[in-house]
Amino acid sequence: MHAPKTFMVGIDVSKAHLDVAVEGKRTVVRFDNDAAGRAALATAIAGAELVVVEATGGYEMATVRALMAADIPVAVVNPRQIRDFARASGRLAKTDQVDARVILHFARAMRPAQIPHIDDGRIALAALVTRRRQIIDMAVAVKNRLEHAPQAVAVLIGETLAALKAQLARVDAVIALAIEAEPDMAARRDLLLTVPGIGEVGAAVLIAELPELGGIDDKKLAALVGVAPMAHDSGAWRGQRHIAGGRATVRCALYMATLSAIRCSPAIKAFYTRLRNAGKPPKVALVAAMRKLIIMINTILKRHTPWNEPQQHGC
């Protein structure tokens, strides 16, 4: 596969195959989604300006890592963005080849941001953080069955809860070890733990699932997390601003951190109180406080300096 000197690439990923659309080429080429196929792909598209891959539940990660290892810039986008773009463009048909071309067209039109390099340690940490969330979800579901369970069943449910609790403790220990084993992640964790409201779990979520933190500007970060207000205006009409999109798991961790920060950080508490006194609804004030907190955290990681309440108070 020969391509222009600078070009973009769209890749539709499935469990078995990679369908690749290259800017300036009419045909979509298929590679096997295995080590040999990914190596051949990296060779074929060497020199690409940007490769855009649709997130497909984890099947894309091996391809992303292979391209990163070959120093090829990669962006991973939400499937919903691709589908909305396809509908807006009038492309209603859906096949692997069509999807690859739609992703390429999306890449050219939207130029999504390249994701930072993902090392093995961060990938392992992300998997552990995901597993921790799964255990908690399972524990909540099991616990909800206790209310109407007869005694004999309640005993069995209790055994399941105990097993999940034990596994959660092991996962927490492994997460701590995984962060400690990587100097960069350990340094980021230490900085994050100086922030009011951020504990070990919150720090792990931010490290694993928001690697851009400290490396992008504040507006992009707010949109990435999903705490940036989106306009809903038309002509002279001005609608309410609402948050939309973003990384839900990061936003949940930030939400819990902000609730705590409102109580224990004079800067965040004063900001939240000022908005409430100005008549802002509680949820609006809370989202604004979340946005302020993540921006302050972004500054801390950019400057590699711990939280300092007096300095942060006026920002």
Side-chain angles (χ1 to χ4, degrees):
M1 180 189 298
H2 300 286
K5 189 174 182 180
T6 57
F7 56 95
M8 290 193 172
V9 179
I11 302 179
D12 180 70
V13 181
S14 66
K15 183 176 181 179
H17 302 292
L18 305 169
D19 290 280
V20 182
V22 178
E23 190 172 12
K25 300 298 173 182
R26 292 184 177 180
T27 58
V28 173
V29 179
R30 171 167 285 187
F31 295 84
D32 290 333
N33 193 1
D34 56 21
R38 291 188 289 268
L41 168 65
T43 299
I45 62 174
E49 177 185 349
L50 181 68
V51 177
V52 177
V53 179
E54 187 180 63
T56 54
Y59 289 127
E60 78 283 358
M61 288 311 301
T63 301
V64 169
R65 293 172 65 188
L67 295 176
M68 285 184 168
D71 293 324
I72 299 173
V74 184
V76 179
V77 298
N78 190 309
R80 179 179 173 181
Q81 290 179 277
I82 301 298
R83 295 270 57 84
D84 289 347
F85 180 81
R87 285 194 290 269
S89 304
R91 297 179 176 91
L92 303 181
K94 184 172 178 19
T95 68
D96 292 340
Q97 291 199 355
V98 169
D99 285 351
R101 290 195 177 282
V102 169
I103 295 170
L104 173 59
H105 293 153
F106 177 88
R108 287 198 301 242
M110 307 304 295
R111 295 186 175 269
Q114 173 186 347
I115 62 172
H117 182 77
I118 304 174
D119 54 36
D120 290 341
R122 195 181 301 276
I123 291 172
L125 178 62
L128 288 167
V129 169
T130 299
R131 181 56 187 165
R132 187 184 194 281
R133 189 160 52 247
Q134 291 169 347
I135 293 170
I136 291 174
D137 289 344
M138 287 188 291
V140 170
V142 171
K143 192 173 182 179
N144 287 340
R145 297 188 180 100
L146 269 176
E147 183 177 359
H148 302 292
Q151 182 60 32
V153 175
V155 171
L156 297 175
I157 291 176
E159 292 175 358
T160 301
L161 284 172
L164 289 172
K165 185 177 180 180
Q167 187 175 142
L168 181 62
R170 291 199 301 273
V171 169
D172 283 342
V174 175
I175 285 174
L177 290 173
I179 293 175
E180 197 64 41
E182 298 286 341
D184 177 66
M185 292 198 298
R188 291 171 73 84
R189 176 208 56 199
D190 292 344
L191 287 172
L192 289 168
L193 290 179
T194 69
V195 178
I198 299 290
E200 295 283 352
V201 173
V205 171
L206 292 176
I207 292 169
E209 301 187 2
L210 193 61
E212 298 89 349
L213 192 59
I216 60 175
D217 67 57
D218 295 340
K219 288 185 178 180
K220 289 182 179 179
L221 179 66
L224 196 61
V225 176
V227 292
M230 301 298 175
H232 293 270
D233 301 338
S234 180
W237 181 77
R238 296 292 180 264
Q240 288 187 333
R241 269 58 172 164
H242 297 280
I243 60 173
R247 297 178 187 172
T249 54
V250 174
R251 192 165 57 253
C252 287
L254 180 62
Y255 171 82
M256 299 304 298
T258 305
L259 288 178
S260 179
I262 288 172
R263 294 193 302 270
C264 61
S265 165
I268 300 299
K269 181 178 181 179
F271 178 77
Y272 176 81
T273 302
R274 185 166 67 250
L275 292 178
R276 291 289 292 119
N277 290 340
K280 298 295 183 183
K283 287 185 178 180
V284 172
L286 181 58
V287 170
M290 291 168 63
R291 184 166 62 254
K292 183 176 181 67
L293 182 60
I294 196 64
I295 288 173
M296 294 165 82
I297 294 171
N298 198 39
T299 300
I300 285 171
L301 292 184
K302 280 181 181 178
R303 297 176 179 174
H304 303 284
T305 55
W307 176 279
N308 188 317
E309 190 75 40
Q311 292 179 11
Q312 298 289 350
H313 186 83
C315 65

